[in-house]
Amino acid sequence: MMVEELVAAGVALAIVSAKRLGAGLANRAIEGVEQSVADRLGRLYRWIAGRLPGEESATLIDEAGRSPDAQAVLRRQLVLALGEDPAGVEELRVLLSPHAPVLAHGDFLLSASSGIPHQLPPAVADFTGRGQELARLAEPAERLGGGRVCLVHGPGGIGKTSVVVQAAHRLMPSFPDGQLFVDLNGAEERPAAVREVLGDFLVALGVARGRLSDDEAGRTRQFRTELADRRVLIILDNAASEQQVSALMPGGSSCAVLITSRSVLATLAVDERVALSGLDEGTAWDLLRRIGGVDRVDEDPGAGREVVRLCGGLPLALRIAGARLATFPARTVGSFARDLADDHRRLDALSLGERSVRAVFRAGYQALPSLQQQAFRLLSALDTPDLPAWALSPLLDVNAQAAEACLEGLLLAHLVQARRGEAGGQRIVLHDLARGFSKERAAEQPADESDSAVRRLLGALLSAADAADAQLRPAGARHSGRDAAVRYPLPDNTMAGDVWEAVEWFEAERVVLVAAVTHAHARGWWELCWELTDAMSIALEHQWRWDISCQLHQLALDAAGHLGNGGARAALLRNLGEALRDGGSDMGRAAECFSEAIALFHSSGDAHGESDALGNLGILQRQQGELQNAAQTLTTAESLFRALPLERGLAWTLREKAVISRHHTHYTEALAQLDQAEALFAANEETRGVGWILRTRADTEKESTVGGCPLPRRWYTGPWPGRPVTSPPAQDPRWAAARTHYEHAAQLLHAVRDHRGHTWTTLGLADMALHDGDPTAAALISRALEETDACGDHRGHSRALTVQALLHAEADRLSDAITLTEQALAGPRDHVGAAQASFRLARLYGAAGRQHDALHALHESRTHHRTAGMPFPDLPDTELCKTLNRPIPRARRFRRPK
């Protein structure tokens, strides 16, 4: 057949192709002869369009179907194009022949395949979870035309390829013209060359290699031309950059593209971004069992759960772990879990054959610039689950802008994660397995890199802690001498500007600060160790973290011993005494700490420290019910505070003296002392102090109304020193004032996160509700019990138990009430609390008919009252018992429903 004849036949068929494709023949993806013919016509059409000069070839073919003149022009142009191209003539001959499978001519190779590629890897048989992500990726099938670009991004080993391949197999029916797949090697040192990828794609689509453009731009144009009238699903796996992906994007809307990358490819225009995170515990457990074997994993479910936890939800880690369990059946799951628990062996254990978690992290790490590599190494230096974003500035010794840019690079590489802190600002999070790899890389560097960086970070934390601590006690230092450790300047906007920000800052950074103190002690950085501990002592008190405070102060005391610093030892002993006292763990040791601190402060001439330690010893004595000793100690402290002068310390001392006056039923004196203390706190803008004054004022007003009697009026009508008998408490204006002051105190103490003060305010409101027969008492006391139990406030918990006991008694649960009150009396020694609890227990015993026990409890109550200097009815116990041996007069609203 001559060239002219071939061209005439080709043009005729191309015209048919144009008409049939316009009618939607190829798009219907019908199997059989019709589809085969459509494929051949489509290939011929594209071949002729590619041979014609200029950019109007498709238009000319379409016009040829309507005009004989245009058909003649088309034939002439094609004959001219083939006049000096024998290879092209042979290509056309093959395209017109239904029988010739392959034609080779020089470098040209034309396959007689249909041009419909099926390149998808097999879907993972044990694929688990990811239902939501798959649903988002499957949306192209539901769209008219199906054109969408979806990006799945996340760290190495998170399962991006598995998710995309799974989605692609579900989408295959919607893309009958084929599926293209390529690994772009984005995590490798040399990503795949776009020109070569385009060449492979074009050949797969039926383009002869001899017809490929030489340059990348030309191949991109060819690629988009080939896809213009096809519905093809394209999977670009492991993309390196936006530039690499952009050249591989189809030009029309009939194709869909699924991309995976460790980078977020932020500037790439996509329809859907799917960020993959770790698997949840349930899905991870299912995956481990499917790969490792259900019986194998279930033989020791506890160890299996530990394996899941240590893999941190990383699918690659779970797959390797499961494969190791399945490969080595003689080894127990428990022994494998122990290997994973060892920080030095974990990454070795998560390696099998060519698959390795370490290799995944290494690829990402090696692609980083040097500063980002250094940042990644240093982020694991402090043993803490996260760090504030500003920590990169002191770690790297760079300004805030450089640190922020460095963090962005780490986030884009998915080697670290970021979360929004509860107090605002970003926090940097390292996956546990990434932390192990970070430590390995850090160990390869000189030790001084890490030491210098962490010292700067601890110096910055100390600067921030100093500022926050000053907000919590605005009246000034509690002692002198905390200035030897080197501070590091903080970036702007990282310092606490007021008391609320200070409370939030300490709450957010507590774990980091604890890790900092521990690290400083381990490295022998004694000044940093004790000064950081001292700076956070008030915050730990506010947070009820007494166990943590005790642990840190033991380390800090050791540091002070190495320094031979008596001033530091005095300050730390005073702090430790507070933690022991408020936590109720060891009152004797607390008293020893305060006494030694007072002596050390006095010998060094530190009046601030001495007065503060005296005040704290007075609080301990008052809490134990040693009211006379407490009054003397507090009077000595008051004299020092007035001489300094130190208004804050004076205000707290006056508050403590008011509590003692209240216990002695000197209510007028107590209110006068509270007036002075409140004025001092208000003048110093100390909200927490005002909250405590309001709470103490409410206690005083409430007790003055009932004369200090520990029982509701309906429970006990006998004589009580100072007890009013003219009207119920609810009719006394002092009762209403007490409720108002409790509610105001609760608002203030909640705002400054003073959990202990707020809980004791709740106790006061619960006691008032009990006296009123108000059913809200049950909810109030339940809340107080939960808070005191969670935070270890033993005194508060004992007081709450006695109120709950009275509520139980009024609900016909007398036996439970007795048990609760007995538990309350078994708590720490506290004459005031024991005095009230013993009298309540005597009333409960009396109602239960246990006369002997009632007399014994009355005797105990009298002893505690007299030891504390508190008034008690001046009647023999036998006379008092007569008023206690009646049934409980239950309030109607407390009765158990029938």
Side-chain angles (χ1 to χ4, degrees), residues 54-402:
E55 299 180 358
E56 305 299 328
S57 56
T59 302
L60 182 57
I61 296 174
D62 293 340
E63 290 179 356
R66 296 188 298 269
S67 166
D69 293 337
Q71 191 174 134
V73 172
L74 177 59
R75 285 197 297 267
R76 284 197 300 273
Q77 288 191 4
L78 190 55
V79 168
L80 289 173
L82 295 175
E84 297 181 0
D85 186 5
V89 175
E90 292 303 315
E91 291 176 30
L92 179 57
R93 193 185 306 277
V94 170
L95 284 169
L96 292 171
S97 171
H99 305 295
V102 174
L103 175 68
H105 185 87
D107 294 332
F108 169 73
L109 181 67
L110 176 65
S111 172
S113 70
S114 67
I116 301 179
H118 297 285
Q119 298 182 346
L120 285 184
V124 178
D126 50 25
F127 187 86
T128 306
R130 304 296 196 192
Q132 292 183 352
E133 292 86 350
L134 289 174
R136 292 171 65 184
L137 294 175
E139 189 177 340
E142 302 170 2
R143 299 180 125 217
L144 186 61
R148 262 169 69 88
V149 178
C150 300
L151 170 66
V152 177
H153 62 93
I158 204 67
K160 301 181 293 296
T161 302
S162 296
V163 169
V164 164
V165 170
Q166 193 77 12
H169 276 274
R170 297 186 183 185
L171 291 172
M172 282 180 64
S174 300
F175 296 92
D177 295 326
Q179 303 84 40
L180 296 168
F181 180 94
V182 64
D183 182 352
L184 295 174
N185 295 326
E188 304 299 326
E189 185 176 352
R190 293 185 179 181
V194 173
R195 179 180 175 276
E196 299 304 320
V197 173
L198 284 167
D200 291 342
F201 276 179
L202 286 165
V203 170
L205 290 168
V207 177
R209 284 201 177 272
R211 304 308 310 151
L212 298 180
S213 296
D214 291 333
D215 64 324
E216 179 183 309
R219 290 187 178 186
T220 297
R221 288 192 294 272
Q222 283 184 290
F223 181 58
R224 290 171 181 167
T225 300
E226 289 294 322
L227 296 178
D229 53 10
R230 302 195 198 190
R231 294 191 67 184
V232 175
L233 179 62
I234 305 164
I235 294 87
L236 305 177
D237 189 38
N238 200 8
S241 65
E242 292 91 335
Q243 183 178 7
Q244 184 191 42
V245 170
S246 296
L248 298 171
M249 301 292 282
S253 61
S254 61
C255 299
V257 185
L258 302 179
I259 308 166
T260 74
S261 179
R262 294 189 182 187
S263 172
V264 297
L265 304 182
T267 61
L268 183 68
V270 300
D271 298 292
E272 188 80 47
R273 291 181 184 274
V274 178
L276 286 191
S277 56
L279 299 177
D280 61 70
E281 184 179 352
T283 305
W285 172 252
D286 290 342
L287 181 59
L288 182 68
R289 293 173 79 236
R290 293 183 70 173
I291 299 173
V294 174
D295 294 339
R296 180 85 170 90
V297 176
D298 287 354
E299 70 183 17
D300 189 348
R305 295 287 182 188
E306 182 67 2
V307 170
V308 167
R309 185 188 71 80
L310 291 167
C311 287
L314 191 70
L316 176 61
L318 289 160
R319 288 188 172 279
I320 294 174
R324 291 189 74 91
L325 292 175
T327 305
F328 305 107
R331 189 178 184 193
T332 66
V333 181
S335 67
F336 181 64
R338 286 190 291 274
D339 280 350
L340 286 182
D342 186 337
D343 289 341
H344 300 291
R345 301 180 63 186
R346 186 174 305 163
L347 292 179
D348 290 331
L350 292 175
S351 176
L352 185 63
E354 296 181 355
R355 308 195 74 183
S356 165
V357 171
R358 180 185 283 111
V360 169
F361 287 130
R362 182 183 293 112
Y365 173 78
Q366 290 176 342
L368 296 175
S370 59
L371 185 65
Q372 292 177 24
Q373 287 185 348
Q374 183 184 13
F376 179 73
R377 294 192 301 268
L378 293 175
L379 284 172
S380 64
L382 198 62
D383 192 13
T384 179
D386 63 11
L387 284 171
W390 60 257
L392 274 182
S393 182
L395 279 173
L396 297 171
D397 200 17
V398 298
N399 61 34
Q401 291 74 25

Side-chain angles (χ1 to χ4, degrees), residues 509-532:
E509 304 302 343
R510 181 180 66 253
V511 175
V512 176
L513 290 166
V514 170
V517 171
T518 304
H519 191 96
H521 184 270
R523 302 299 295 169
W525 302 338
W526 309 125
E527 289 90 352
L528 281 167
C529 179
W530 91 262
E531 292 192 24
L532 276 167

Side-chain angles (χ1 to χ4, degrees), residues 754-825:
D754 187 337
H755 306 303
R756 181 160 58 102
H758 185 271
T759 297
W760 279 80
T761 302
T762 303
L763 279 172
L765 285 168
D767 194 52
M768 290 190 73
L770 172 69
H771 279 77
D772 290 340
D774 186 341
T776 62
L780 288 167
I781 205 61
S782 293
R783 185 194 314 161
L785 281 167
E786 290 174 2
E787 292 177 358
T788 56
D789 185 54
C791 299
D793 183 355
H794 302 295
R795 288 179 57 250
H797 196 70
S798 294
R799 300 292 176 89
L801 286 176
T802 63
V803 178
Q804 188 182 48
L806 301 187
L807 294 177
H808 282 348
E810 296 216 10
D812 292 330
R813 298 169 61 184
L814 186 56
S815 177
D816 291 342
I818 291 173
T819 299
L820 287 177
T821 310
E822 290 172 342
Q823 290 177 6
L825 282 165

Side-chain angles (χ1 to χ4, degrees), residues 653-710:
T653 301
L654 290 170
R655 183 261 170 193
E656 289 298 320
K657 296 187 75 171
V659 174
I660 295 174
S661 297
R662 186 189 85 226
H663 288 325
H664 288 156
T665 67
H666 302 154
Y667 301 119
T668 302
E669 181 181 351
L671 291 171
Q673 290 164 329
L674 291 172
D675 287 339
Q676 295 180 56
E678 185 172 4
L680 292 170
F681 280 134
N684 284 277
E685 299 181 350
E686 187 162 350
T687 303
R688 177 176 177 252
V690 172
W692 275 75
I693 293 300
L694 288 172
R695 195 214 98 200
T696 309
R697 186 182 297 278
D699 288 340
T700 305
E701 291 163 340
K702 178 193 70 176
E703 291 188 20
S704 67
T705 306
V706 298
C709 180

Side-chain angles (χ1 to χ4, degrees), residues 507-572:
E507 191 81 33
E509 304 302 343
R510 181 180 66 253
V511 175
V512 176
L513 290 166
V514 170
V517 171
T518 304
H519 191 96
H521 184 270
R523 302 299 295 169
W525 302 338
W526 309 125
E527 289 90 352
L528 281 167
C529 179
W530 91 262
E531 292 192 24
L532 276 167
T533 301
D534 185 57
M536 62 191 295
S537 61
I538 290 291
L540 289 173
E541 176 194 341
H542 288 194
Q543 297 165 1
W544 285 12
R545 306 291 178 176
W546 295 308
D547 289 345
I548 294 175
S549 185
C550 289
Q551 294 168 9
L552 296 185
H553 278 87
Q554 293 295 349
L555 296 178
L557 281 167
D558 183 63
H562 280 87
L563 292 169
N565 187 334
R569 178 172 177 79
L572 295 168

Side-chain angles (χ1 to χ4, degrees), residues 459-519:
L461 286 168
L462 182 54
S463 295
D466 283 339
D469 183 46
Q471 293 296 335
L472 293 183
R473 44 179 176 216
R478 306 168 82 191
H479 57 267
S480 60
R482 197 178 76 199
D483 55 8
V486 177
R487 271 72 170 164
Y488 188 90
L490 280 167
D492 294 337
N493 302 321
T494 55
M495 297 283 227
D498 56 37
V499 65
W500 289 275
E501 290 182 1
V503 170
E504 290 178 347
W505 186 87
F506 274 120
E507 191 81 33
E509 304 302 343
R510 181 180 66 253
V511 175
V512 176
L513 290 166
V514 170
V517 171
T518 304
H519 191 96

